[in-house]
Amino acid sequence: MKNLLLLFPFLFLLLSSAVNGAHNITHILEKHPGFSTFNHYLTVTHLADEINRRQTITVLAIDNGAMNSLLDKHLTLPTLKNVLSLHVLVDYFGAKKLHQINNSTTLVSSMFQATGAAAGTSGYVNITNLKGGKVGFAAEDNDGSLHSFFVKSLQEFPYYISVLQISNPINSADAEAPTAAPSAIDLISIMSKQGCKSFADLLRGSKALPAFKESIDGGLTVFCPTDSAVNGFAPKYKNLTDSQKVSLLLYHGVPLYESLQMLKSSNGLMNTLATEGANKYDFTVQTDGEDVSLKTKVNTVSIIGTLIDQDPFVAYKINKVLMPRELFKASDADDEAPAESPKPSKKKGKKGVHDSAADAPADGPSSDSEDQKAADEDSNNVSGLHDGVRLVSAALFSVLIGFLVL
Ligand SMILES: *[C@@H]1O[C@H](CO)[C@@H](O)[C@H](O)[C@H]1NC(C)=O
Ligand SMILES: *[C@@H]1O[C@H](CO)[C@@H](O)[C@H](O)[C@H]1NC(C)=O
Ligand SMILES: *[C@@H]1O[C@H](CO)[C@@H](O)[C@H](O)[C@H]1NC(C)=O
Ligand SMILES: *[C@@H]1O[C@H](CO)[C@@H](O)[C@H](O)[C@H]1NC(C)=O
Ligand SMILES: *[C@@H]1O[C@H](CO)[C@@H](O)[C@H](O)[C@H]1NC(C)=O
Ligand SMILES: *[C@@H]1O[C@H](CO)[C@@H](O)[C@H](O)[C@H]1NC(C)=O
């Protein structure tokens, strides 16, 4: 028994390190000093956070020499971020799979494509098997020449993350194009184009808009409710006074750049553009596995997507309008039914009546048995990371049992 007690802190450490994400790109690259410049820029552009957050990803790393040739172009940091994000493929390619590409050539989506910053398909990377086992890489809009080649595999954790060295940076006129100065970013048009038209329309004519624009330079995070959420909320919105409407809109902006990874690790109280003084117009951020939700005293909303992520500006799509306690009572959230909701939550604990009413997706599971079914199905769906964690827990459990038997 004494042995067991001694073991606990150790087991706990082991388990928590397994739960805290399967990979850390910074850590992986630290083992390869020849890639320190690339590693440094993944960190300062916040791309490292995004890489760690994702599963099934391939990082095309370039060594310090190749990185210097890229830095010689004197790109601004946001532009460099675009270029580097073209080097992060949102699919898993180990050295083996690389050499088995069907029909010898393929286009793979990169994080540059995923940020919404790329025009058309310019965020795709062309991978082509050439003669003699050579594998070439180029931006999708290449001029017929592949200018970068697979060198070696640095680290592979199938099918979570693969880090491959390529010989040269992937050139792309589109990724290297100067990014708009932050304050020139047209919030309204970006939001309108990316499925947040109704919210953008409210903002367009509002006295709240200048506060959003003025914040962009120093960092701005916008939580944008879906069109159906805004439309469903219209009767309540109309009921507000003009200044309350301004406060409600401001409540959906945070004057800081918060990447999803940062949101997930903040897990606490967050002030908004509407905040003046202590404990006003704030909400809390809650993380459950990969899901991030925002909790006001009145309702809980889920982040269901990213509209744009261009440090210092990021906008997320949320499934409901955030209702601050300064403007609404808990009972106001009762008739809320979001049209879109994230995948059924694994943990449906015993929540308050208001909470569960507000949480229940219009088309989602409602009864307990359905919830259970969804949870069961979900646990059968081997989604990499969780599975790994389960495996580790199982292993630890058997170690524990072993000790108990002794
Ligand atoms: C990743 O690794 C680096 C270097 O080892 C460390 O400083 C950083 O805190 C780690 N990040 C996370 C999220 O664990
Ligand atoms: C090529 O096609 C085969 C069979 O359709 C598939 O198993 C394999 O994964 C594909 N390879 C790649 C690199 O997509
Ligand atoms: C391979 O090429 C053929 C003909 O060009 C096409 O029909 C087929 O769909 C391609 N297969 C893959 C896996 O891309
Ligand atoms: C990739 O680029 C090469 C060279 O320009 C080209 O021949 C090939 O068709 C491209 N592959 C795809 C899938 O576009
Ligand atoms: C509008 O406000 C009145 C008075 O506060 C309230 O009784 C009514 O329920 C509100 N309507 C909506 C749709 O929230
Ligand atoms: C399980 O995964 C499959 C394929 O990825 C998907 O079609 C299905 O909807 C998933 N089921 C659940 C319960 O998430």
Side-chain angles (χ1 to χ4, degrees):
M1 204 55 202
K2 216 167 163 189
N3 283 345
L4 184 65
L5 288 176
L6 283 174
L7 207 67
F8 259 120
F10 171 72
L11 287 179
F12 187 76
L13 252 169
L14 205 72
L15 187 62
S16 55
S17 69
V19 173
N20 281 340
H23 58 255
N24 176 341
I25 184 66
T26 313
H27 190 67
I28 292 173
L29 285 170
E30 265 175 1
K31 290 178 233 155
H32 303 274
F35 294 80
S36 56
T37 312
F38 183 71
N39 201 7
H40 169 76
Y41 281 98
L42 287 187
T43 301
V44 298
T45 56
H46 300 297
L47 275 172
D49 297 329
E50 298 302 315
I51 292 168
N52 295 344
R53 183 172 70 78
R54 286 176 182 260
Q55 297 174 35
T56 319
I57 201 151
T58 302
V59 178
L60 303 174
I62 48 182
D63 68 11
N64 293 346
M67 195 62 204
N68 284 340
S69 74
L70 182 59
L71 293 177
D72 280 346
K73 294 183 176 178
H74 301 292
L75 306 172
T76 62
L77 200 58
T79 303
L80 188 61
K81 180 174 186 174
N82 282 345
V83 174
L84 293 180
S85 61
L86 191 61
H87 292 69
V88 183
L89 309 179
V90 294
D91 194 358
Y92 182 88
F93 281 92
K96 190 162 164 234
K97 185 176 167 193
L98 213 53
H99 289 96
Q100 289 174 343
I101 287 168
N102 290 309
N103 285 353
S104 291
T105 183
T106 189
L107 291 177
V108 182
S109 182
S110 72
M111 214 127 99
F112 182 44
Q113 187 74 26
T115 57
T121 56
S122 64
Y124 284 83
V125 172
N126 173 322
I127 309 180
T128 301
N129 269 318
L130 304 163
K131 282 197 194 85
K134 227 174 160 186
V135 181
F137 294 84
E140 182 267 346
D141 55 344
N142 74 79
D143 52 4
S145 70
L146 301 159
H147 53 263
S148 183
F149 303 96
F150 171 69
V151 179
K152 64 174 186 285
S153 168
L154 298 178
Q155 183 95 62
E156 295 183 16
F157 294 121
Y159 297 92
Y160 304 127
I161 185 168
S162 163
V163 185
L164 309 175
Q165 181 186 1
I166 58 170
S167 60
N168 293 301
I170 297 173
N171 294 327
S172 156
D174 196 46
E176 286 166 35
T179 52
S183 46
I185 288 178
D186 188 348
L187 283 176
I188 299 295
S189 104
I190 290 173
M191 285 170 20
S192 298
K193 279 187 202 136
Q194 304 278 342
C196 252
K197 188 168 183 312
S198 300
F199 185 76
D201 287 345
L202 293 183
L203 202 53
R204 193 196 311 271
S206 163
K207 288 205 176 81
L209 185 57
F212 280 82
K213 288 187 164 168
E214 282 157 19
S215 298
I216 287 185
D217 284 322
L220 174 66
T221 302
V222 176
F223 297 99
C224 186
T226 60
D227 287 355
S228 49
V230 173
N231 296 341
F233 191 78
K236 288 200 182 73
Y237 186 74
K238 287 208 188 83
N239 222 8
L240 299 173
T241 67
D242 284 350
S243 78
Q244 287 174 331
K245 283 177 185 163
V246 170
S247 297
L248 182 80
L249 296 174
L250 291 174
Y251 190 54
H252 288 75
V254 168
L256 283 173
Y257 170 77
E258 293 276 351
S259 73
L260 205 51
Q261 189 59 40
M262 291 155 94
L263 276 179
K264 284 167 89 174
S265 49
S266 74
N267 242 342
L269 209 62
M270 188 151 291
N271 283 333
T272 66
L273 290 173
T275 300
E276 262 188 295
N279 300 325
K280 270 196 86 183
Y281 286 105
D282 51 15
F283 53 76
T284 46
V285 180
Q286 280 188 340
T287 306
D288 178 8
E290 288 300 300
D291 301 331
V292 181
S293 50
L294 313 175
K295 206 168 169 7
T296 80
K297 288 277 188 319
V298 179
N299 67 348
T300 301
V301 316
S302 298
I303 294 182
I304 54 174
T306 303
L307 301 181
I308 179 173
D309 182 355
Q310 263 188 53
D311 193 359
F313 171 53
V314 57
Y316 301 104
K317 192 183 273 196
I318 54 177
N319 67 338
K320 285 181 247 170
V321 174
L322 284 163
M323 296 167 78
R325 65 171 159 180
E326 285 79 6
L327 300 178
F328 300 96
K329 301 184 297 291
S331 56
D332 292 330
D334 280 353
D335 49 351
E336 248 196 322
E340 281 179 67
S341 63
K343 53 190 180 314
S345 170
K346 271 152 265 169
K347 280 178 228 133
K348 271 266 155 79
K350 294 240 180 330
K351 292 184 183 170
V353 178
H354 298 315
D355 243 348
S356 49
D359 279 352
D363 54 351
S366 48
S367 78
D368 278 346
S369 64
E370 270 180 304
D371 261 2
Q372 191 51 47
K373 205 171 116 220
D376 285 345
E377 270 167 25
D378 201 67
S379 65
N380 284 334
N381 256 8
V382 280
S383 114
L385 189 62
H386 301 112
D387 223 38
V389 171
R390 252 181 240 123
L391 219 112
V392 173
S393 328
L396 289 181
F397 189 68
S398 34
V399 170
L400 268 177
I401 296 290
F403 267 92
L404 283 173
V405 169
L406 282 178

mmCIF file of all heavy atoms in Angstrom, residues 44 58 106 120 127 161 164 167 206 294 381 384 397:
data_model
loop_
_atom_site.group_PDB
_atom_site.id
_atom_site.type_symbol
_atom_site.label_atom_id
_atom_site.label_comp_id
_atom_site.label_asym_id
_atom_site.label_seq_id
_atom_site.Cartn_x
_atom_site.Cartn_y
_atom_site.Cartn_z
ATOM 1 N N VAL A 44 6.627 32.866 -32.650
ATOM 2 C CA VAL A 44 6.230 34.279 -32.619
ATOM 3 C C VAL A 44 5.020 34.571 -33.512
ATOM 4 O O VAL A 44 4.315 35.536 -33.290
ATOM 5 C CB VAL A 44 7.404 35.245 -32.954
ATOM 6 C CG1 VAL A 44 8.520 35.114 -31.947
ATOM 7 C CG2 VAL A 44 7.929 35.025 -34.358
ATOM 8 N N THR A 58 0.834 17.834 -40.973
ATOM 9 C CA THR A 58 2.208 17.639 -41.446
ATOM 10 C C THR A 58 2.902 18.993 -41.486
ATOM 11 O O THR A 58 2.380 19.941 -42.080
ATOM 12 C CB THR A 58 2.211 17.021 -42.864
ATOM 13 O OG1 THR A 58 1.514 15.778 -42.820
ATOM 14 C CG2 THR A 58 3.635 16.782 -43.347
ATOM 15 N N THR A 106 -0.586 15.298 -56.164
ATOM 16 C CA THR A 106 -1.795 15.609 -55.406
ATOM 17 C C THR A 106 -1.726 17.035 -54.892
ATOM 18 O O THR A 106 -0.644 17.624 -54.778
ATOM 19 C CB THR A 106 -1.986 14.615 -54.243
ATOM 20 O OG1 THR A 106 -3.266 14.818 -53.672
ATOM 21 C CG2 THR A 106 -0.944 14.805 -53.152
ATOM 22 N N GLY A 120 -8.707 32.074 -53.502
ATOM 23 C CA GLY A 120 -9.002 30.877 -54.298
ATOM 24 C C GLY A 120 -8.340 29.639 -53.719
ATOM 25 O O GLY A 120 -8.504 29.333 -52.551
ATOM 26 N N ILE A 127 2.089 18.297 -54.204
ATOM 27 C CA ILE A 127 3.147 17.323 -53.891
ATOM 28 C C ILE A 127 3.223 16.363 -55.066
ATOM 29 O O ILE A 127 2.198 15.812 -55.480
ATOM 30 C CB ILE A 127 2.834 16.519 -52.617
ATOM 31 C CG1 ILE A 127 2.478 17.459 -51.460
ATOM 32 C CG2 ILE A 127 4.026 15.638 -52.223
ATOM 33 C CD1 ILE A 127 2.155 16.731 -50.161
ATOM 34 N N ILE A 161 0.974 13.777 -36.058
ATOM 35 C CA ILE A 161 1.828 14.824 -36.594
ATOM 36 C C ILE A 161 3.054 14.209 -37.250
ATOM 37 O O ILE A 161 3.617 13.227 -36.742
ATOM 38 C CB ILE A 161 2.232 15.840 -35.507
ATOM 39 C CG1 ILE A 161 3.040 16.997 -36.131
ATOM 40 C CG2 ILE A 161 3.001 15.181 -34.368
ATOM 41 C CD1 ILE A 161 3.246 18.182 -35.211
ATOM 42 N N LEU A 164 8.512 16.916 -41.516
ATOM 43 C CA LEU A 164 9.390 16.531 -42.618
ATOM 44 C C LEU A 164 10.270 17.708 -43.018
ATOM 45 O O LEU A 164 9.796 18.845 -43.074
ATOM 46 C CB LEU A 164 8.553 16.114 -43.841
ATOM 47 C CG LEU A 164 7.452 15.080 -43.627
ATOM 48 C CD1 LEU A 164 6.648 14.896 -44.920
ATOM 49 C CD2 LEU A 164 8.047 13.746 -43.186
ATOM 50 N N SER A 167 13.711 20.977 -48.768
ATOM 51 C CA SER A 167 14.974 21.669 -49.048
ATOM 52 C C SER A 167 14.874 23.188 -49.080
ATOM 53 O O SER A 167 15.794 23.884 -48.657
ATOM 54 C CB SER A 167 15.545 21.169 -50.380
ATOM 55 O OG SER A 167 14.628 21.432 -51.420
ATOM 56 N N SER A 206 -24.076 50.521 -36.593
ATOM 57 C CA SER A 206 -24.143 50.747 -35.146
ATOM 58 C C SER A 206 -23.044 51.668 -34.635
ATOM 59 O O SER A 206 -21.961 51.755 -35.201
ATOM 60 C CB SER A 206 -24.032 49.402 -34.435
ATOM 61 O OG SER A 206 -23.709 49.596 -33.088
ATOM 62 N N LEU A 294 -18.459 29.586 -24.290
ATOM 63 C CA LEU A 294 -18.449 30.855 -23.572
ATOM 64 C C LEU A 294 -19.696 30.865 -22.706
ATOM 65 O O LEU A 294 -20.790 30.613 -23.195
ATOM 66 C CB LEU A 294 -18.487 32.023 -24.555
ATOM 67 C CG LEU A 294 -17.521 31.942 -25.742
ATOM 68 C CD1 LEU A 294 -17.751 33.106 -26.684
ATOM 69 C CD2 LEU A 294 -16.074 31.900 -25.276
ATOM 70 N N ASN A 381 -15.918 6.049 -31.914
ATOM 71 C CA ASN A 381 -15.233 6.772 -32.971
ATOM 72 C C ASN A 381 -13.822 7.110 -32.520
ATOM 73 O O ASN A 381 -13.622 8.032 -31.758
ATOM 74 C CB ASN A 381 -15.996 8.060 -33.291
ATOM 75 C CG ASN A 381 -16.775 7.916 -34.567
ATOM 76 O OD1 ASN A 381 -16.864 6.833 -35.126
ATOM 77 N ND2 ASN A 381 -17.325 8.996 -35.035
ATOM 78 N N GLY A 384 -8.205 9.691 -32.601
ATOM 79 C CA GLY A 384 -6.786 9.762 -32.256
ATOM 80 C C GLY A 384 -6.442 10.063 -30.819
ATOM 81 O O GLY A 384 -6.293 9.161 -29.997
ATOM 82 N N PHE A 397 -4.207 2.013 -15.156
ATOM 83 C CA PHE A 397 -5.150 1.313 -14.320
ATOM 84 C C PHE A 397 -4.648 -0.102 -14.032
ATOM 85 O O PHE A 397 -4.675 -0.559 -12.888
ATOM 86 C CB PHE A 397 -6.519 1.265 -15.016
ATOM 87 C CG PHE A 397 -7.606 0.752 -14.124
ATOM 88 C CD1 PHE A 397 -8.017 1.502 -13.036
ATOM 89 C CD2 PHE A 397 -8.203 -0.479 -14.363
ATOM 90 C CE1 PHE A 397 -9.009 1.050 -12.207
ATOM 91 C CE2 PHE A 397 -9.192 -0.942 -13.539
ATOM 92 C CZ PHE A 397 -9.604 -0.174 -12.452
#
